[in-house]
Amino acid sequence: MNARPREEEEAAAAATEDDRDEEANRLLSSRSPSSSSSDQENDEEVAYESREKILIVDLDSADALCSVDSNVTPPFSWKKLWLFTGPGFLMSIAFLDPGNLEGDLQAGAIAGYSLLWLLMWATAMGLLIQLLSARVGVATGRHLAELCREEYPPWARYLLWFMAELALIGADIQEVIGSAIAIKILSHGALPLWAGVVITASDCFLFLFLENYGVRKLEAVFAVLIATMGLTFAWMFGDTKPSGKELLIGVLVPKLSSKTIRQAVGVVGCVIMPHNVFLHSALVQSRKIDPNKNGRVQEALNYYSIESSIALLISFMINLFVTTVFAKGFYGSKQADSIGLVNAGQYLQEKYGGGFFPILYIWGIGLLAAGQSSTITGTYAGQFIMGGFLNLRLKKWLRALITRSFAIVPTMIVALFFNTSEASLDVLNEWLNVLQSIQIPFALIPLLTLVSKEQVMGIFRIGPTLERVAWTVAGLVMVINGYLLLDFFLSEVSGLLFGFVVCTGTAAYVAFIIYLVSYSGALSSTWFSLMLSKRFAYT
């Protein structure tokens, strides 16, 4: 008599188990909160398709146990660190682009070893910002441009996209011009600047070619380019033999004078690249991480923190090599004030001669590696920015071509127009640095807004202490760049009409920043509560 009820109970239990399995499979197939099915993934722009992502496999029994409890973080593994290594090194290339190298050599030539401490701390500030960018990407399964599209009203979203594109174009012009200068050096002047721009523009197709072979192959190419920079600039460091004592003092002892304030501002301003903040949040999604499993998300954050720190340590060493080489060779010399990316190789050749392998060509190879790697990552960033803000579903070759055209067309015009003298290229570089500085708040403020928001980040939102530190760093960077802008406009702006246009633009610019800060609520609430607590503590 009990056989039939027992069979019904077993059937109900089996149905319940099947429902659980179906629910688990549904959650595992959802790689982000916004794409819970393949149909929705086809409707929305994503950084990487599921088939493109690198699978992070369980390597031992401890990992398997962590798969049972989704809140437990798996133990550290060197093999897993290797699987997660890659995005941080691609991100670090923005710290080594031709614009940064020019800032390094000018800081060394004008300030000597005295700004090395600032280079170190600026890199540390850059690391904090990039770790927050990676945190957003891993915890949400979406990159910063996609989140901005959902977070802000249409007018603010499109304005943020326009600002991000401007920043990317400005950075790309510097990077392409840097590559073109390197090609001109290595061809012994046979190829003019515009020809170098055309050659560099072809990196778009190289990028598409490499992407077809998978993410790891692309990351390996960038590793070779970073290694090339490291070897060439280390070779220059060994050839010129800078003072080890002065180097150590420069790193450990803060020193700043009125004569070097502009170079100091340039060192900090070059570190935070707006497009790089958007880029890193997308790069970390190249690994398959289930955002519904807190332990796996924390594991990914841990590994990305380690590899990003190692990558930026290497970039700091390369920047240090460049700064100290030019500090040793040109600090206090008559060439110090006139040295730039265009004539740096020639000055090095005149100072140190030929040798077994002429230092001019060593510099040219390093500069070419910096320019080519940064232009390819610029193409990458452009795809994520355009696709994320506008939700465009385009074929990769078409999206890369559009992104490249945004930068190459103005760069070609610049190359033809400014190819008349070194002084004109220096003026162009100053204006491009200003363009970069203007855009920084429009990457940092949305990032800090989102990473502090529990509705977006869940349990991975940053705590109050880290939030205060992050806003302080962002505020410091924006103030420093604000000083650069003020100094530039005071020296360059003349005439009533031009002054009126600049003042009007500045008012609109400040108003938009105030809107973004007030929209976030994070800054006002954090500092307001802090000020209130201090006030009541004294009463």
Side-chain angles (χ1 to χ4, degrees), residues 294-314:
N294 296 335
R296 296 298 183 179
V297 172
Q298 187 59 57
E299 176 191 39
L301 291 175
N302 294 342
Y303 285 121
Y304 282 137
S305 298
I306 295 170
E307 69 114 15
S308 296
S309 300
I310 294 171
L312 288 193
L313 175 62
I314 293 171

Side-chain angles (χ1 to χ4, degrees), residues 67-254:
S67 296
V68 177
D69 188 349
S70 63
N71 291 317
V72 177
T73 304
F76 177 81
S77 163
W78 288 104
K79 289 182 179 179
K80 273 200 172 182
L81 177 60
W82 172 248
L83 290 175
F84 277 101
T85 298
F89 283 87
L90 267 69
M91 169 273 295
S92 73
I93 286 168
F95 290 70
L96 298 168
D97 71 352
N100 274 279
L101 297 183
E102 183 160 38
D104 292 338
L105 66 88
Q106 288 175 342
I110 296 172
Y113 300 87
S114 64
L115 295 181
L116 293 178
W117 65 275
L118 188 60
L119 175 63
M120 179 180 69
W121 285 107
T123 305
M125 289 193 296
L127 175 62
L128 173 62
I129 297 298
Q130 294 303 149
L131 290 180
L132 293 179
S133 175
R135 190 179 191 89
V136 166
V138 173
T140 65
R142 315 201 73 186
H143 59 81
L144 184 57
E146 291 175 310
L147 293 170
C148 286
R149 186 184 73 228
E150 295 180 350
E151 178 71 17
Y152 293 100
W155 71 269
R157 176 201 319 159
Y158 289 123
L159 194 51
L160 284 172
W161 167 69
F162 178 72
M163 293 297 188
E165 290 289 354
L166 273 183
L168 182 60
I169 290 169
D172 227 350
I173 290 174
Q174 286 181 310
E175 291 156 1
V176 172
I177 292 292
S179 286
I181 291 170
I183 291 170
K184 187 176 180 180
I185 290 172
L186 295 174
S187 67
H188 208 64
L191 292 172
L193 209 60
W194 66 265
V197 171
V198 172
I199 293 170
T200 306
S202 63
D203 68 12
C204 165
F205 303 102
L206 173 64
F207 166 74
L208 290 171
F209 175 76
L210 294 173
E211 250 198 331
N212 290 331
Y213 288 90
V215 174
R216 291 301 268 179
K217 302 291 190 303
L218 185 65
E219 290 171 351
V221 170
F222 283 108
V224 171
L225 291 171
I226 293 172
T228 301
M229 283 185 271
L231 289 172
T232 52
F233 297 136
W235 189 332
M236 288 170 55
F237 182 86
D239 267 0
T240 56
K241 298 180 176 60
S243 169
K245 180 182 177 181
E246 291 188 57
L247 187 157
L248 196 59
I249 292 172
V251 170
L252 299 178
V253 180

Side-chain angles (χ1 to χ4, degrees), residues 220-296:
V221 170
F222 283 108
V224 171
L225 291 171
I226 293 172
T228 301
M229 283 185 271
L231 289 172
T232 52
F233 297 136
W235 189 332
M236 288 170 55
F237 182 86
D239 267 0
T240 56
K241 298 180 176 60
S243 169
K245 180 182 177 181
E246 291 188 57
L247 187 157
L248 196 59
I249 292 172
V251 170
L252 299 178
V253 180
K255 190 187 300 182
L256 193 62
S257 70
S258 58
K259 294 180 180 179
T260 61
I261 189 71
R262 190 162 188 173
Q263 282 65 46
V265 170
V267 166
V268 177
C270 286
V271 166
I272 308 296
M273 304 289 283
H275 73 274
N276 207 38
V277 177
F278 288 98
L279 175 65
H280 199 198
S281 65
L283 291 174
V284 294
Q285 293 175 48
S286 59
R287 274 61 177 169
K288 283 191 176 181
I289 303 159
D290 186 358
N292 299 293
K293 292 188 174 182
N294 296 335
R296 296 298 183 179

Side-chain angles (χ1 to χ4, degrees), residues 496-510:
L496 185 62
L497 180 60
F498 192 28
F500 174 76
V501 171
V502 169
C503 289
T504 305
T506 302
Y509 174 79
V510 172

